Amino acid sequence: MERILVSACLVGRRVRYDGGAKPVGGGVVGRWWDEGRVVVFCPEVSGGLPVPRAPAEIVGGDGADVLDGVARVLTASGEDVSRQFVRGARLALEAARAAGVRVALLKESSPSCGSLRVYDGRFAGTRVPGHGVTTALLRRAGVRVFGEDQVAEAAACLRELELSGSA
């Protein structure tokens, strides 16, 4: 049975920067939970950031650029938290590898977990195409990453992996 890495905030854990959660509710994710498939992880907390914490955005690119050292993750006050984001991404990858995870469902628009878009680094609420630091590292390792609005696509990917016998 395939397991799936899921952002902790999406299963109701209050780990977001504002101390909140963004649970996706029952349905498919609830079934995965009941089946014991879910590997819960928050890269930002695991990387050493507190809850609550200052909002952060990627400045100068996206998550791949942070991993490559050409962009940074900064708070609105200018504090560089890139090191914590990269550490959290590495720990997420370790957790995924340890559990044999090949699919992840992560929080969209997050500087860690965004899979389609991230905030543009100007702290004005503008999102741009791109992905977060954890998503970039997981994808480099071959993990398929989906946002919380792509549950059906993630479920289809899990089914495909199981049916192909490559699980």
Side-chain angles (χ1 to χ4, degrees):
M1 176 173 55
E2 284 287 326
R3 298 188 74 197
I4 183 166
L5 185 76
V6 178
S7 291
C9 63
L10 296 180
V11 296
R13 300 222 177 129
R14 300 178 69 78
V15 295
R16 287 176 42 88
Y17 74 95
D18 59 2
K22 290 286 185 173
V24 292
V28 174
V29 177
R31 188 181 78 238
W32 292 337
W33 183 270
D34 293 343
E35 293 170 348
R37 293 176 181 256
V38 175
V39 176
V40 179
F41 203 85
C42 176
E44 294 175 22
V45 171
S46 295
L49 295 171
V51 177
R53 58 188 167 274
E57 295 186 10
I58 299 172
V59 176
D62 70 4
D65 299 313
V66 173
L67 291 172
D68 294 340
V70 297
R72 299 180 302 158
V73 185
L74 302 176
T75 66
S77 66
E79 179 186 0
D80 189 338
V81 290
S82 303
R83 182 178 52 80
Q84 292 93 330
F85 275 73
V86 171
R87 181 173 190 270
R90 288 182 179 144
L91 291 170
L93 179 57
E94 284 179 25
R97 284 182 171 157
V101 165
R102 296 187 290 168
V103 179
L105 182 73
L106 304 180
K107 179 69 188 100
E108 193 57 73
S109 303
S110 157
S112 288
C113 299
S115 62
L116 298 173
R117 59 194 171 274
V118 292
Y119 289 96
D120 70 359
R122 295 182 300 170
F123 296 91
T126 304
R127 289 180 251 190
V128 295
H131 43 267
V133 179
T134 297
T135 294
L137 189 61
L138 290 173
R139 284 185 172 156
R140 285 182 180 180
V143 176
R144 298 277 313 271
V145 180
F146 300 89
E148 77 269 17
D149 55 345
Q150 297 177 301
V151 173
E153 292 91 335
C157 184
L158 285 173
R159 274 192 309 277
E160 181 181 311
L161 288 169
E162 288 174 341
L163 291 174
S164 71
S166 62

